[in-house]
Amino acid sequence: MEEKMMQIAVSVATVWTSKHSPREEDHPATSNPARISEWLMSMSLSDLLDLHDANRVQTQILFGEKVIVTGMEGEWASILAPSQSSSKDSRGYPGWVPAGQLRDIQKDAGVRGKAVIQSKMALIKIEGMESTIPLCYQTVLPLLDGSGEDVKVQTPLGIGILHKDDVVLIKEGERLPQKSGKDICQAAERFLGLPYLWGGVSSYGYDCSGFAYTMLKANGYPIARDAGDQAKGGREVALDAIMPGDLLFFAYEEGMGTIHHVGIYQGDGRLLHSPKTGKTIESIKLKGTIYEKELCCARRYHMESGER
């Protein structure tokens, strides 16, 4: 087939390694609507571990995001996600999603900017639909009208209505403002206690690099999706000069091997991170931990005072 651009039409689309990757218990995540809470609650620890150990899941994509469909096989689409830069493909993060979770791109009809979800979760009402759809932190939708108490947006399913308190409005042609390292930490602290999810890039659950990716994106700094790629961007920072908001990277072989983890430096010797399956997002003291031994480098993406 000829490549085409389409949009994600579920609250969160899980991107699978292949069309054969999902198990029977993953049906809530591959359906439309996607029932992510049901999916997560139904899985045992071994089921969650298997998402990584069997290389089933690659990443996730939020409602309304555009993807490049590179092929169709039955009920599955091979896609690239341009919003998530990756060394796996220069055009975007690759993987497979159910074709039923995609829709053709809606023509712009008087778009005046963007509405970005700032609540951890928000409900959107689509005109003509009875039920609401849960949207995750940092979901971005074209703005049609933000003048009243409610915000009217364009979605893959039609015109949607959001509560103004759940969003920040960005004018046409502008982007989220670039904020400080402390702002990055404050955004991250809102998710303390949220369970880790392998491949997670939504407020249902983040993996380590998905957490860093989203918190920096929320503060005006688009970065790569995976830790290995994140460690090549921004500016290198000496480990004795790290500041709040810097990304800290951890490698096997006591910091000499392959990078396998990333977290956000909180200041005062503390790490904000999403550690691993079975754990939750936490703030810990680095000193005396395995992370202190594995710390290998730091990168700074945020602007310091006086650099704006």
Side-chain angles (χ1 to χ4, degrees), residues 138-175:
Q138 289 303 296
T139 297
V140 181
L141 294 168
L143 174 66
L144 298 176
D145 186 1
S147 59
E149 286 188 7
D150 292 327
V151 173
K152 187 179 291 187
V153 294
Q154 183 172 293
T155 85
L157 304 176
I159 293 174
I161 305 297
L162 287 160
H163 197 281
K164 206 161 196 173
D165 289 346
D166 288 324
V167 301
V168 62
L169 305 181
I170 307 296
K171 293 180 181 179
E172 186 71 13
E174 295 185 0
R175 299 190 297 181

Side-chain angles (χ1 to χ4, degrees), residues 21-163:
S21 297
R23 308 155 298 186
E24 183 177 346
E25 57 264 40
D26 299 320
H27 179 70
T30 59
S31 63
N32 187 348
R35 307 187 306 277
I36 303 300
S37 291
E38 177 185 330
W39 178 51
L40 296 177
M41 291 176 64
S42 70
M43 283 190 286
S44 65
L45 179 59
S46 61
D47 291 334
L48 287 163
L49 287 167
D50 187 61
L51 295 175
H52 167 263
D53 295 345
N55 189 31
R56 296 186 186 278
V57 170
Q58 292 293 306
T59 187
Q60 291 181 319
I61 313 176
L62 303 181
F63 183 70
E65 287 193 35
K66 295 176 181 178
V67 297
I68 303 168
V69 178
T70 59
M72 297 285 290
E73 292 186 16
E75 297 180 350
W76 286 84
S78 62
I79 60 99
L80 298 169
S83 61
Q84 298 182 24
S85 64
S86 171
S87 57
K88 294 180 179 182
D89 193 296
S90 61
R91 294 188 295 166
Y93 214 102
W96 291 77
V97 299
Q101 295 187 341
L102 299 172
R103 292 290 185 274
D104 288 329
I105 293 177
Q106 300 284 313
K107 292 183 178 180
D108 288 345
V111 171
R112 300 181 179 183
K114 296 176 182 178
V116 184
I117 302 294
Q118 292 298 293
S119 298
K120 289 192 283 187
M121 284 283 183
L123 294 176
I124 187 169
K125 180 73 172 69
I126 307 295
E127 291 185 355
M129 292 177 58
E130 290 187 9
S131 59
T132 56
I133 299 172
L135 298 186
C136 293
Y137 182 63
Q138 289 303 296
T139 297
V140 181
L141 294 168
L143 174 66
L144 298 176
D145 186 1
S147 59
E149 286 188 7
D150 292 327
V151 173
K152 187 179 291 187
V153 294
Q154 183 172 293
T155 85
L157 304 176
I159 293 174
I161 305 297
L162 287 160
H163 197 281

